[in-house]
Amino acid sequence: MEELVGTLLEELGIRPDSTVGAAAIQAARDVQPVVSAITATAAKWQVRITQLFKRHRLSSEHFAPTTGYGYGDRGREVLEAVWADAFGGEAALVRPQIVSGTHAIGLCLGAVCRPGDLLVSALGEPYETVKSVIGLTGQRGSLADYGVRYCEARGEEELVRAVESGAAAVFIQRSGGYSQRRALSVAQIARLVSVVKGVNQKTVCIVDNCYGEFVEELEPSHVGADLVAGSLIKNPGGGLAPTGGYIVGREELIQLVAARLVVPGSRDLGPSPIGYRHFYQGLWIAPQCVGQALITACFSARLFELLGFPVRPKFDEPRGDIIQAIGLGARERLLAFLREVQARSPVDSHVAPEPWLMPGYQHEVAMAAGTFVQGSSIEFSADAPVMAPYEVYLQGGLSAAHGIWAVIAAAKVIVS
Ligand SMILES: *Cc1c(COP(=O)(O)O)cnc(C)c1O
């Protein structure tokens, strides 16, 4: 890390004895043990996924595009079988027809919850876009519109009471999202699932796995979660999947989800006119990408902490997702940070981020996202709700060298 940071400082023309230069070198030293641990986790996943491809006898014929109904699509079938094995579920749906993480989560919620059923969010408010799915923003066609009841638990006691009162499903969000809550560890998810199952074995545990994939050695489906959903333009797409979402879980529930995704009886439909190579190769490289993203996050945490800014999590705290929050404390600093990140992106580096009211969000947000895949957040990007305490959320980083280079440059602009 020290050599990498030394090289990047040179490239940036920042002297090692300047405020930012010295902090960057110190940060590089401090994060080294964490970087080693991240590298080890990535290596384990890398080996595991490579061996899975072998077990499923993956070959280039599986990459072929399919059209029309997509009947007998071996590329899709093998991809879904590999995915289920990698995540520890019985079955999976991995499709370009799932357009976002929210779509994947919405399919799970809609498949399990019937009119009159109670859905419980285990840890308070869900991610902004999921609120619209549940019906908290008055959207037509939401679960609420179909008569699904909803409540939020805060802590185990409230969760137990909600499940005792007959909840059909419990929603567990792994990442903290834009909230102050920390990301859950897989062990914490296991604990929540066992609490729910201890009260009612039939209550379905649905995990929003966005940003969490491959951060730890196990996934929520390894520890009892019934349905787990996420986006392919985040961690598990490895920056290569051009679109898509996934759902992994118990076979009988995956059947229900497929009935919502397509129509009942049509689970075996679904072509990929662009083929499957990007999805396989993306999954294969994903642990490496998640490792690079985590290294970028840890370094950023330590650098900004050394420069006197509050950060969540700290560099040496356990991580459940790839998100790093940095409290910049002022609107101007926040926008300057985002401008610098955007200016150092591989794509759209000539544009400046502007705060806007993005669909599905309740307040102004500003984003720096110069990504190859539109909106991809496994690629290095930063976004922020433009309001106090002016925290910026960093995520992604296919190349730690790129992410760290941009973050040091942003620090320089903010500190001087
Ligand atoms: C990204 C994300 C989602 C889904 O977002 P999409 O933009 O629809 O993919 C849901 N929950 C969390 C915690 C997320 O980070």
Side-chain angles (χ1 to χ4, degrees), residues 315-333:
F315 77 103
D316 54 354
E317 284 175 331
R319 281 171 195 266
D321 64 14
I322 61 167
I323 299 179
Q324 179 63 49
I326 302 172
L328 293 172
R331 181 186 165 97
E332 253 330 294
R333 276 204 288 267

Side-chain angles (χ1 to χ4, degrees), residues 100-103 105 127 129-130 173 175-177 208 210-211 231 233-234 323 361 377:
S100 67
T102 308
H103 188 192
I105 295 160
Y127 191 74
T129 57
V130 176
Q173 183 182 302
S175 170
D208 168 357
C210 285
Y211 288 137
S231 164
I233 62 167
K234 293 182 179 174
I323 299 179
Y361 292 81
S377 42

Side-chain angles (χ1 to χ4, degrees), residues 201-239:
Q201 194 62 37
K202 290 217 174 87
T203 302
V204 177
C205 294
I206 300 169
V207 175
D208 168 357
N209 208 25
C210 285
Y211 288 137
E213 297 91 349
F214 311 134
V215 169
E216 294 187 50
E217 286 173 33
L218 291 178
E219 290 295 324
S221 20
H222 287 116
V223 297
D226 298 296
L227 283 173
V228 175
S231 164
L232 299 192
I233 62 167
K234 293 182 179 174
N235 304 17

